[in-house]
């Protein structure tokens, strides 16, 4: 993972020297109603602060908080008030010269109570995500009614690997709290 996705200067003085860090890891996970952000940078000692940004559409980001650099290489942040639905996050690492590097965008989805959400419904990268706020039993069927995969989702988000599955239409059946949710998905 190369964290040098976007490099810019936020001050007017000359900052032609490259930023001395990259993002080695950036993860976002949903835990109950909180988005947990964890990241690691390649070098310490040169960072001034990190700007945590959130978006509802993955395009227009707004600053939600600023975290001071501590000289450490691993950092965590909890968004206590994520949106319902998909939340997109990115981090701006700003060094003492005002140069910044932007992390890749990560997302997490929060569903309302008692619901199971299945996304994306058109799968190109081989991964299906199940988001739930309570335990659920999830089964994937082909159109002939054969169960191809069954998983238990405890709570939050769980990615299901569908890499290598043949292209076609499938049914995802999620059962939770006396409710049954059927979602049609397409693997390309």
């Amino acid at each position: 993972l190369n964290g040098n996705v976007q490099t810019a200067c936020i001050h007017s003085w000359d900052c032609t020297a490259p930023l001395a860090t990259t993002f080695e890891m950036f993860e976002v996970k949903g835990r109950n109603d909180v988005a947990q952000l964890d990241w690691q940078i390649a070098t310490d000692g040169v960072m001034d602060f990190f700007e945590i940004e959130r978006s509802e559409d993955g395009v227009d980001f707004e600053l939600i908080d600023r975290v001071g650099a501590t000289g450490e290489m691993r950092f965590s942040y909890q968004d206590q008030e994520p949106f319902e639905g998909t939340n997109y996050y990115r981090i701006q690492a700003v060094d003492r010269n005002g140069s910044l590097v932007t992390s890749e965008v990560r997302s997490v989805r929060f569903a309302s109570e008692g619901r199971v959400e299945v996304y994306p419904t058109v799968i190109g990268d081989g991964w299906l995500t199940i988001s739930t706020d309570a335990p659920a039993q999830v089964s994937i069927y082909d159109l002939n009614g054969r169960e191809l995969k069954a998983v238990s989702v405890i709570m939050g988000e769980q990615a299901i690997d569908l890499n290598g599955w043949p292209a076609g239409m499938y049914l995802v059946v999620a059962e939770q709290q006396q409710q049954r949710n059927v979602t049609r998905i397409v693997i390309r």
Side-chain angles (χ1 to χ4, degrees):
L1 172 64
N2 181 354
N4 289 319
V5 175
Q6 175 184 350
T7 303
C9 295
I10 58 175
H11 296 292
S12 60
W13 59 79
D14 182 25
C15 47
T16 56
L19 188 64
T21 195
T22 59
F23 285 89
E24 289 190 340
M25 180 270 297
F26 175 39
E27 297 177 343
V28 179
K29 295 179 182 174
R31 300 192 193 287
N32 298 322
D33 290 332
V34 175
Q36 175 71 39
L37 286 70
D38 296 297
W39 68 97
Q40 181 173 334
I41 58 173
T43 59
D44 64 347
V46 298
M47 300 314 304
D48 192 16
F49 58 89
F50 299 93
E51 291 184 337
I52 314 299
E53 297 180 334
R54 179 180 62 203
S55 170
E56 287 185 87
D57 61 8
V59 176
D60 297 314
F61 285 84
E62 65 180 13
L63 177 67
I64 59 170
D65 208 348
R66 185 176 280 175
V67 175
T70 61
E72 300 293 321
M73 293 171 54
R74 293 186 67 90
F75 298 87
S76 292
Y77 177 81
Q78 290 186 339
D79 181 4
Q80 301 288 336
E81 298 179 11
F83 306 120
E84 184 173 321
T86 302
N87 290 254
Y88 298 90
Y89 294 92
R90 70 182 183 191
I91 300 172
Q92 304 271 3
V94 182
D95 73 8
R96 293 186 185 114
N97 293 324
S99 296
L100 65 90
V101 64
T102 304
S103 71
E104 290 186 358
V105 175
R106 298 287 187 252
S107 66
V108 64
R109 187 169 182 89
F110 291 93
S112 61
E113 258 184 65
R115 291 184 49 194
V116 175
E117 295 194 42
V118 177
Y119 59 93
T121 55
V122 178
I123 300 170
D125 68 357
W127 290 93
L128 176 69
T129 301
I130 308 294
S131 178
T132 179
D133 60 353
Q137 296 297 316
V138 178
S139 297
I140 302 174
Y141 295 89
D142 64 16
L143 294 182
N144 294 321
R146 287 180 298 185
E147 183 179 57
L148 304 174
K149 188 169 195 110
V151 295
S152 295
V153 179
I154 306 296
M155 195 160 41
E157 285 194 10
Q158 182 170 334
I160 299 174
D161 184 3
L162 301 179
N163 282 296
W165 283 43
M169 188 176 296
Y170 298 87
L171 297 176
V172 179
V173 178
E175 296 183 36
Q176 173 197 53
Q177 300 176 355
Q178 312 298 325
Q179 295 179 358
R180 185 175 184 167
N181 177 19
V182 180
T183 305
R184 210 176 284 157
I185 64 169
V186 175
I187 297 177
R188 292 192 173 178

